[in-house]
Amino acid sequence: ADGALLQGGDGALPEQEVAVAVGPLRQVACGHQHSLYLDDQGQLLAAGTNTFGQLGFTGEGTLASLPRQIPAFSKRPIAAVACGEFHSLALSDAGEVYAWGRGNEGQLGAGPSPGTGSPSPASSSCCPFPRFVQKLHGYFCEAVAAGWNCSAAITSEGDLFMWGDNSMGQLGIGDPKVGRSAVPHKVLLPPDEVAAAKAERGQAPLFVGVASGWGHTVAITQHGATYSWGFGSRG
């Protein structure tokens, strides 16, 4: 009913005709009520509810029942995508991270107001068009991930940056007093673990993968070590 599912036959299954129209897909991602479709040519399409601008385009009201190409990326090939509850992320072939949709918790990475630690008015509102995460300028990113109201990116150097909601400690920035951040923060592993990794393998741990849920985050390093942080009362 919200367009996030492509209806086909008697159930909520993708129609073959729609899948062909979209083209061979490289990746899909789902938010609360919206979906992103990345084809093998790097073109990005979106469908579902657009209440907070999470589809990346206007003109469809609050609902797009069928996938539609996001105009901002028509000449900018996309390599990877991720969806939060009501926001979206895209990683370009050039290693740039773009965010759009709801930004009430700083999950768009728009940066703080001058002289404050609070999200700027722009980051607190909805952004219906993809916007480059300026604080990641100068980094070549290779992966993106989105939690319910937080975002993450991994650079080619193996650094992990996170921003958005930190009410459960899901950003891994080590300061419980920071409830949210509209600025990407580098996640730092405990010094003793870094030292142990260097002693054992001659190299500091580098992040190669990350995923985030409602209130927690899990990341892996190049050697397969797994780290988790955030809400953990349910295991």
Side-chain angles (χ1 to χ4, degrees):
D2 292 310
L5 294 178
L6 309 181
Q7 300 295 326
D10 296 327
L13 298 174
E15 287 186 352
Q16 183 65 27
E17 294 78 11
V18 173
V20 172
V22 171
L25 296 178
R26 181 191 308 174
Q27 185 188 357
V28 293
C30 297
H32 181 51
Q33 293 178 337
H34 76 290
S35 305
L36 296 180
Y37 307 85
L38 178 61
D39 72 16
D40 62 355
Q41 299 300 309
Q43 295 299 301
L44 184 57
L45 302 92
T49 58
N50 200 30
T51 312
F52 300 99
Q54 59 265 48
L55 299 188
F57 52 73
T58 58
E60 294 282 349
T62 59
L63 173 66
S65 298
L66 296 175
R68 174 183 157 187
Q69 185 175 355
I70 299 177
F73 298 127
S74 61
K75 296 182 179 180
R76 182 177 285 109
I78 298 302
V81 295
C83 291
E85 181 188 19
F86 296 119
H87 76 289
S88 303
L89 300 176
L91 173 65
S92 76
D93 279 352
E96 302 167 327
V97 178
Y98 294 85
W100 63 97
R102 192 177 186 182
N104 63 313
E105 296 289 349
Q107 59 266 52
L108 302 186
S113 301
T116 75
S118 302
S120 65
S123 70
S124 298
S125 62
C126 303
C127 180
F129 304 106
R131 176 168 52 195
F132 175 54
V133 180
Q134 291 285 348
K135 294 297 182 178
L136 293 177
H137 176 70
Y139 294 98
F140 187 97
C141 294
E142 295 186 338
V144 291
W148 206 237
N149 287 308
C150 68
S151 305
I154 295 177
T155 73
S156 58
E157 299 297 320
D159 293 324
L160 171 59
F161 289 88
M162 296 197 68
W163 61 98
D165 179 24
N166 193 47
S167 58
M168 301 291 178
Q170 59 265 54
L171 299 188
I173 59 179
D175 188 350
K177 295 180 181 179
V178 178
R180 63 182 181 178
S181 175
V183 177
H185 283 267
K186 183 177 178 179
V187 176
L188 300 176
L189 293 175
D192 58 335
E193 297 199 18
V194 174
K198 287 183 177 179
E200 181 180 352
R201 297 188 172 94
Q203 185 182 26
L206 305 176
F207 289 107
V208 296
V210 62
S212 193
W214 172 74
H216 75 292
T217 301
V218 179
I220 59 174
T221 70
Q222 79 275 34
H223 298 301
T226 304
Y227 296 88
S228 61
W229 53 91
F231 184 75
S233 66
R234 296 182 182 176

